Amino acid sequence: MGRRNLHTREQQTEMAIAATELILVREGMQGLTMRKVADAIGYTVGNLYLLFQNQDQLLLAVNERTADAIYVALRDSVEGIAEPRAQTKAMSAAYIEFGLRHASRWRLMFEHSLPVGAARPRAIELRIRRMFELVENGLRPQMPGAPEERLRLTATTLWSGVHGICVLAVTGKLRWSGTDNFRDLSDHLVDTFLLGLGNERGTGIKRGTARASAAE
Amino acid sequence: MGRRNLHTREQQTEMAIAATELILVREGMQGLTMRKVADAIGYTVGNLYLLFQNQDQLLLAVNERTADAIYVALRDSVEGIAEPRAQTKAMSAAYIEFGLRHASRWRLMFEHSLPVGAARPRAIELRIRRMFELVENGLRPQMPGAPEERLRLTATTLWSGVHGICVLAVTGKLRWSGTDNFRDLSDHLVDTFLLGLGNERGTGIKRGTARASAAE
DNA sequence: CTCAATTATGAACGACGTACATTTGAAATC
DNA sequence: GATTTCAAATGTACGTCGTTCATAATTGAG
């Protein structure tokens, strides 16, 4: 067969991404192959390589969507919520909820890594950054007068923590503890952290000296 | 060739695990193959399958060691430190330090997942549990009179948070933020969280209702 | 209708995880 | 020391993977 004109390049790309997500959901990352994706959209493997340079690029495209979806989920979660603390809690709950509900896509996003030395994709970084900005916005009213850099540090810290709960929840690494209610964990983290934030007095953030030591 | 008696089964197993770790360090998870491991220990692939049922079992053996190493690192990090808060901070710093220094092995441990429906290995769970107990021990003096279940919840929460920082640090997902000093992040998290813990008053941990909804 | 340009194909390649019949050599028996 | 025995190690084979590319099929322009 030659040119079929059934779908444009863009349509095929769209279909391929959607098919990848579906396979990911149904069979996990290990069940995903280029051939399955090609079959699912009614084309051959060779054709898939006219759409994506390689498998990594396809997965990157999927991750880009996932990042968008997370952003939207977080943004929606604070809609209509005025109280800053409630906003932060709602966002963290929404984040974990998303991770659990879309486990395979979420894991692909955070576990897939490019071959060594490959350039980190701008698009994904940008989206992670936007996500953190959302957190900063919710945090700002709770830290009146704090310099912007301090706000960023705090947002990064808190959200890394929330992310940690999500990681362990999604990968089932907390199963031994009997904890199946992750909302408790995230609420506890956010509540306690924010409480501590409001009670800082003379504690003074210590700027440590240990730098990231690249090894191994 | 037949029986060579150069190494016992146990020695070969040991060699295989060590070789796997070395390859992991040098080439990452994607560079790891059964053939490379076999070559590295001077045996053939077939022989490797007399030592490990399959690749997953080999990786599990590696992960078991990693878990032990983390445990030891955490235990050593609090040696000679009396003050509970300092203990907790030292442990979290040691945890992140370990993750950064042994990135590939650390990632393998937390990102490798068995095929769907496979039983979670007891040995690994046990080791994760022991690690959390270490955290609980450091936390206990800082929560006088707290019931054991609450202590466990708190330890899980805090350590999930530390883990989150570690994940993002190790996978380079925080690179955009200019943060290369992860000790700042973990100290900030621990300080603020513990401060909040000491100031709880009428806040009362809310027991949420959202359960883990298995989906996708 | 013809023909160049484009699009999709499918065969092929090397590498992978894994299985297993075959061969090798150490030890047991005589 | 020769022979037997049997575990240990080999190496070939199979199916699948990601990826490439010569080839065939289809389209739109002239």
Side-chain angles (χ1 to χ4, degrees), chain A residues 65-74 91-107 109-110 166 170, chain B residues 213 215-216:
Chain A
R65 301 231 169 172
T66 305
D68 279 337
I70 294 178
Y71 179 79
V72 170
L74 292 197
M91 278 180 57
S92 69
Y95 188 70
I96 293 172
E97 168 88 12
F98 186 99
L100 290 172
R101 196 184 294 279
H102 308 96
S104 335
R105 275 150 61 192
W106 195 88
R107 290 191 64 169
M109 166 138 178
F110 287 104
C166 198
V170 168
Chain B
S213 51
E216 195 160 296

Side-chain angles (χ1 to χ4, degrees), chain A residues 105-141:
Chain A
R105 275 150 61 192
W106 195 88
R107 290 191 64 169
L108 178 70
M109 166 138 178
F110 287 104
E111 293 177 10
H112 174 255
S113 59
L114 299 169
V116 292
R120 294 191 74 43
R122 223 64 193 137
I124 304 273
E125 278 199 6
L126 190 95
R127 283 166 171 82
I128 296 189
R129 169 124 196 73
R130 280 201 314 178
M131 201 178 71
F132 272 83
E133 271 168 11
L134 226 48
V135 180
E136 288 176 23
N137 291 342
L139 228 43
R140 191 171 286 111

Side-chain angles (χ1 to χ4, degrees), chain B residues 94-163:
Chain B
Y95 189 70
I96 293 171
E97 169 87 11
F98 187 99
L100 289 172
R101 196 183 295 279
H102 308 96
S104 336
R105 275 149 63 193
W106 194 88
R107 289 191 65 170
L108 178 70
M109 166 140 177
F110 287 104
E111 292 177 9
H112 174 255
S113 59
L114 299 169
V116 292
R120 292 190 75 42
R122 221 64 193 138
I124 304 271
E125 279 199 5
L126 190 96
R127 282 165 172 81
I128 296 188
R129 169 121 196 73
R130 279 201 316 178
M131 201 178 73
F132 271 84
E133 270 166 13
L134 226 48
V135 180
E136 288 176 22
N137 290 342
L139 228 43
R140 191 171 286 110
Q142 305 177 65
M143 304 175 62
E148 203 63 13
E149 193 197 328
R150 171 125 170 65
L151 178 65
R152 199 203 312 278
L153 173 71
T154 303
T156 307
T157 301
L158 176 57
W159 207 252
S160 297
V162 172
H163 180 77

